[in-house]
Amino acid sequence: SAVISQKPSRDICQRGTSLTIQCQVDSQVTMMFWYRQQPGQSLTLIATANQGSEATYESGFVIDKFPISRPNLTFSTLTVSNMSPEDSSIYLCSVLTGQVEQPQHFGDGTRLSIL
Amino acid sequence: GQSLEQPSEVTAVEGAIVQINCTYQTSGFYGLSWYQQHDGGAPTFLSYNALDGLEETGRFSSFLSRSDSYGYLLLQELQMKDSASYFCAVGGCNNNDMRFGAGTRLTVKP
Protein backbone atom coordinates (compact mmCIF):
# COMPACT_ATOMS: atom_id res chain seq x y z
CA SER A 1 0.00 0.00 0.00
CA ALA A 2 1.01 3.63 -0.47
CA VAL A 3 3.07 5.42 2.19
CA ILE A 4 1.33 8.62 3.25
CA SER A 5 3.13 11.43 5.06
CA GLN A 6 1.23 14.24 6.73
CA LYS A 7 2.72 17.45 8.07
CA PRO A 8 2.53 18.83 10.65
CA SER A 9 1.71 15.93 12.95
CA ARG A 10 0.32 18.35 15.52
CA ASP A 11 0.02 22.07 16.10
CA ILE A 12 -1.42 24.53 18.55
CA CYS A 13 -2.76 27.68 16.93
CA GLN A 14 -4.31 30.95 17.94
CA ARG A 15 -7.89 31.81 17.18
CA GLY A 16 -8.29 33.61 13.86
CA THR A 17 -5.15 32.20 12.24
CA SER A 18 -4.93 29.66 9.42
CA LEU A 19 -2.94 26.45 9.08
CA THR A 20 -2.05 24.47 5.98
CA ILE A 21 -1.69 20.72 6.29
CA GLN A 22 0.30 18.82 3.71
CA CYS A 23 -0.23 15.26 2.50
CA GLN A 24 2.47 13.57 0.45
CA VAL A 25 2.16 10.08 -1.05
CA ASP A 26 5.08 8.01 -2.25
CA SER A 27 3.27 6.93 -5.41
CA GLN A 28 0.68 8.33 -7.76
CA VAL A 29 -2.85 7.82 -6.50
CA THR A 30 -6.15 8.32 -8.22
CA MET A 31 -8.07 9.83 -5.33
CA MET A 32 -7.16 11.83 -2.24
CA PHE A 33 -9.56 12.73 0.51
CA TRP A 34 -9.56 14.90 3.61
CA TYR A 35 -11.38 13.85 6.76
CA ARG A 36 -11.97 15.43 10.13
CA GLN A 37 -12.23 13.48 13.37
CA GLN A 38 -13.32 15.43 16.41
CA PRO A 39 -12.37 14.07 19.84
CA GLY A 40 -14.07 10.75 20.52
CA GLN A 41 -16.01 10.92 17.29
CA SER A 42 -16.02 9.16 13.97
CA LEU A 43 -14.45 10.32 10.74
CA THR A 44 -16.29 12.90 8.66
CA LEU A 45 -15.41 13.45 5.03
CA ILE A 46 -14.59 17.09 4.34
CA ALA A 47 -13.85 16.90 0.64
CA THR A 48 -12.35 14.98 -2.24
CA ALA A 49 -9.19 16.60 -3.55
CA ASN A 50 -9.33 16.59 -7.35
CA GLN A 51 -6.16 16.87 -9.37
CA GLY A 52 -6.30 19.87 -11.65
CA SER A 53 -9.73 21.09 -10.58
CA GLU A 54 -11.61 22.39 -7.57
CA ALA A 55 -12.18 20.02 -4.67
CA THR A 56 -15.58 18.45 -4.15
CA TYR A 57 -16.92 19.44 -0.73
CA GLU A 58 -19.37 17.55 1.43
CA SER A 59 -22.40 19.12 2.98
CA GLY A 60 -21.42 21.45 5.78
CA PHE A 61 -17.94 22.21 4.45
CA VAL A 62 -17.08 25.15 2.19
CA ILE A 63 -14.08 26.18 0.17
CA ASP A 64 -13.62 29.49 1.96
CA LYS A 65 -13.12 27.68 5.27
CA PHE A 66 -11.22 24.64 3.98
CA PRO A 67 -9.41 25.52 0.76
CA ILE A 68 -7.76 22.46 -0.79
CA SER A 69 -5.10 22.14 -3.42
CA ARG A 70 -3.98 19.11 -5.39
CA PRO A 71 -1.35 20.15 -7.90
CA ASN A 72 -0.37 16.59 -8.86
CA LEU A 73 -1.15 12.92 -8.22
CA THR A 74 1.06 12.63 -5.13
CA PHE A 75 0.41 15.78 -3.12
CA SER A 76 -2.45 17.73 -1.57
CA THR A 77 -2.91 20.46 1.01
CA LEU A 78 -5.81 21.36 3.26
CA THR A 79 -5.98 24.80 4.85
CA VAL A 80 -8.09 25.40 7.93
CA SER A 81 -8.90 29.10 7.75
CA ASN A 82 -9.80 31.66 10.41
CA MET A 83 -9.65 29.00 13.07
CA SER A 84 -11.83 28.85 16.14
CA PRO A 85 -11.80 26.39 19.07
CA GLU A 86 -14.49 24.37 17.29
CA ASP A 87 -11.89 23.49 14.64
CA SER A 88 -9.82 21.60 17.21
CA SER A 89 -9.73 18.16 15.71
CA ILE A 90 -7.65 15.54 13.96
CA TYR A 91 -7.39 16.10 10.24
CA LEU A 92 -6.58 13.05 8.13
CA CYS A 93 -5.79 12.58 4.50
CA SER A 94 -6.52 9.29 2.83
CA VAL A 95 -5.86 7.86 -0.60
CA LEU A 96 -7.19 5.39 -3.08
CA THR A 97 -4.54 3.81 -5.26
CA GLY A 98 -6.93 2.91 -8.05
CA GLN A 99 -6.55 -0.85 -7.73
CA VAL A 100 -9.75 -2.81 -7.93
CA GLU A 101 -11.41 -3.14 -4.53
CA GLN A 102 -8.57 -1.26 -2.88
CA PRO A 103 -9.85 0.42 0.25
CA GLN A 104 -8.76 3.81 1.48
CA HIS A 105 -5.54 4.13 3.46
CA PHE A 106 -4.91 6.94 5.91
CA GLY A 107 -2.04 9.16 6.86
CA ASP A 108 -1.13 9.53 10.53
CA GLY A 109 -3.23 12.66 10.89
CA THR A 110 -2.66 16.20 12.11
CA ARG A 111 -3.77 16.96 15.64
CA LEU A 112 -4.86 20.55 15.74
CA SER A 113 -5.70 22.50 18.88
CA ILE A 114 -7.03 26.06 18.76
CA LEU A 115 -6.61 28.32 21.77
CA GLY B 1 -27.94 9.41 2.22
CA GLN B 2 -25.94 6.90 4.20
CA SER B 3 -26.08 5.80 7.83
CA LEU B 4 -24.27 3.11 9.75
CA GLU B 5 -25.09 1.62 13.13
CA GLN B 6 -22.61 -0.14 15.37
CA PRO B 7 -22.44 -0.62 19.14
CA SER B 8 -20.67 2.16 20.99
CA GLU B 9 -18.78 -0.05 23.43
CA VAL B 10 -17.82 -3.69 23.91
CA THR B 11 -15.83 -5.24 26.74
CA ALA B 12 -14.27 -8.70 26.73
CA VAL B 13 -11.46 -10.65 28.38
CA GLU B 14 -8.19 -11.84 26.94
CA GLY B 15 -8.52 -14.98 24.86
CA ALA B 16 -12.22 -14.46 24.22
CA ILE B 17 -14.05 -13.93 20.93
CA VAL B 18 -15.88 -10.70 20.14
CA GLN B 19 -18.25 -9.85 17.30
CA ILE B 20 -18.87 -6.22 16.37
CA ASN B 21 -21.96 -5.76 14.23
CA CYS B 22 -22.61 -3.08 11.66
CA THR B 23 -25.86 -2.35 9.85
CA TYR B 24 -26.01 0.21 7.12
CA GLN B 25 -28.38 2.12 4.90
CA THR B 26 -26.83 3.49 1.74
CA SER B 27 -27.95 4.90 -1.56
CA GLY B 28 -25.09 3.08 -3.27
CA PHE B 29 -22.91 0.26 -2.05
CA TYR B 30 -19.49 -0.88 -3.16
CA GLY B 31 -18.06 -2.60 -0.11
CA LEU B 32 -17.87 -2.78 3.67
CA SER B 33 -14.54 -1.99 5.30
CA TRP B 34 -13.30 -2.23 8.85
CA TYR B 35 -10.69 0.01 10.41
CA GLN B 36 -8.91 -0.13 13.76
CA GLN B 37 -7.84 3.02 15.55
CA HIS B 38 -5.81 3.10 18.73
CA ASP B 39 -5.95 6.21 20.90
CA GLY B 40 -3.83 8.90 19.32
CA GLY B 41 -3.30 6.88 16.16
CA ALA B 42 -4.59 6.92 12.62
CA PRO B 43 -7.22 4.50 11.33
CA THR B 44 -5.62 1.31 10.08
CA PHE B 45 -7.29 -0.84 7.48
CA LEU B 46 -8.29 -4.29 8.74
CA SER B 47 -10.55 -5.95 6.20
CA TYR B 48 -12.86 -5.45 3.28
CA ASN B 49 -15.92 -7.28 1.93
CA ALA B 50 -17.41 -6.54 -1.44
CA LEU B 51 -19.29 -9.83 -1.76
CA ASP B 52 -21.41 -11.84 0.68
CA GLY B 53 -19.58 -14.19 2.96
CA LEU B 54 -16.70 -14.42 5.36
CA GLU B 55 -13.20 -13.04 4.84
CA GLU B 56 -10.55 -14.33 7.23
CA THR B 57 -7.27 -12.60 8.00
CA GLY B 58 -5.48 -14.22 10.90
CA ARG B 59 -7.32 -13.59 14.14
CA PHE B 60 -9.73 -11.18 12.46
CA SER B 61 -12.61 -12.14 10.18
CA SER B 62 -15.26 -10.02 8.54
CA PHE B 63 -18.65 -11.00 7.23
CA LEU B 64 -21.08 -9.32 4.86
CA SER B 65 -24.69 -9.95 3.91
CA ARG B 66 -25.74 -7.45 1.27
CA SER B 67 -29.35 -8.58 1.30
CA ASP B 68 -29.51 -7.77 5.03
CA SER B 69 -27.34 -4.64 4.79
CA TYR B 70 -25.35 -6.15 7.62
CA GLY B 71 -21.84 -7.11 8.41
CA TYR B 72 -19.65 -7.92 11.37
CA LEU B 73 -16.05 -8.01 12.47
CA LEU B 74 -15.02 -11.07 14.46
CA LEU B 75 -11.97 -10.88 16.66
CA GLN B 76 -10.65 -14.16 18.06
CA GLU B 77 -8.10 -14.93 20.75
CA LEU B 78 -8.35 -11.40 22.02
CA GLN B 79 -5.18 -9.71 23.21
CA MET B 80 -4.74 -6.60 25.31
CA LYS B 81 -3.36 -4.78 22.27
CA ASP B 82 -6.72 -5.24 20.54
CA SER B 83 -8.18 -2.56 22.83
CA ALA B 84 -9.04 0.17 20.34
CA SER B 85 -11.91 1.72 18.43
CA TYR B 86 -13.24 -0.19 15.46
CA PHE B 87 -15.05 1.57 12.62
CA CYS B 88 -17.13 0.06 9.89
CA ALA B 89 -17.29 2.04 6.67
CA VAL B 90 -19.24 1.69 3.47
CA GLY B 91 -18.19 3.00 0.13
CA GLY B 92 -20.11 4.10 -2.89
CA CYS B 93 -18.79 3.65 -6.38
CA ASN B 94 -15.24 2.35 -6.20
CA ASN B 95 -15.02 3.28 -2.51
CA ASN B 96 -14.78 6.96 -3.38
CA ASP B 97 -17.64 8.07 -1.19
CA MET B 98 -16.71 6.26 2.02
CA ARG B 99 -18.76 6.90 5.14
CA PHE B 100 -17.84 5.76 8.60
CA GLY B 101 -19.86 4.45 11.51
CA ALA B 102 -19.54 6.10 14.90
CA GLY B 103 -17.08 3.46 16.04
CA THR B 104 -17.09 0.70 18.66
CA ARG B 105 -14.75 1.08 21.58
CA LEU B 106 -13.38 -2.37 22.47
CA THR B 107 -11.82 -2.83 25.88
CA VAL B 108 -9.95 -6.07 26.50
CA LYS B 109 -9.45 -6.95 30.16
CA PRO B 110 -7.01 -9.45 31.66
Side-chain angles (χ1 to χ4, degrees), chain A residues 33 37 42 58 96 104 107 111, chain B residues 35 37 40 42 95-96 99 101:
Chain A
F33 306 90
Q37 186 177 27
S42 185
E58 297 301 306
L96 272 178
Q104 292 185 25
R111 285 149 188 80
Chain B
Y35 288 81
Q37 186 177 31
N95 271 330
N96 288 355
R99 308 291 166 160

Side-chain angles (χ1 to χ4, degrees), chain B residues 26-102:
Chain B
T26 62
S27 54
F29 179 82
Y30 188 78
L32 180 70
S33 303
W34 288 93
Y35 288 81
Q36 178 193 60
Q37 186 177 31
H38 287 97
D39 287 345
T44 303
F45 170 73
L46 287 178
S47 70
Y48 174 77
N49 295 69
L51 302 175
D52 291 351
L54 190 68
E55 294 281 342
E56 298 182 73
T57 308
R59 295 188 297 115
F60 294 177
S61 305
S62 59
F63 171 83
L64 174 65
S65 169
R66 288 174 296 172
S67 61
D68 296 322
S69 296
Y70 163 77
Y72 65 72
L73 179 69
L74 189 72
L75 299 87
Q76 303 182 73
E77 301 172 20
L78 282 175
Q79 302 175 8
M80 297 295 289
K81 67 178 182 180
D82 298 329
S83 292
S85 291
Y86 293 83
F87 294 91
C88 62
V90 295
C93 179
N94 201 28
N95 271 330
N96 288 355
D97 189 24
M98 187 172 284
R99 308 291 166 160
F100 285 78

Side-chain angles (χ1 to χ4, degrees), chain A residues 30-34 45-51 53-58 68 70 76 104, chain B residues 96-97:
Chain A
T30 56
M31 307 288 288
M32 296 182 78
F33 306 90
W34 288 99
L45 181 64
I46 297 172
T48 302
N50 299 311
Q51 195 266 326
S53 65
E54 194 172 283
T56 305
Y57 289 85
E58 297 301 306
I68 287 170
R70 190 173 174 200
S76 177
Q104 292 185 25
Chain B
N96 288 355
D97 189 24

Side-chain angles (χ1 to χ4, degrees), chain A residues 19-30:
Chain A
L19 178 74
T20 296
I21 303 168
Q22 299 180 2
C23 181
Q24 178 75 55
V25 192
D26 69 343
S27 59
Q28 292 187 345
V29 294
T30 56

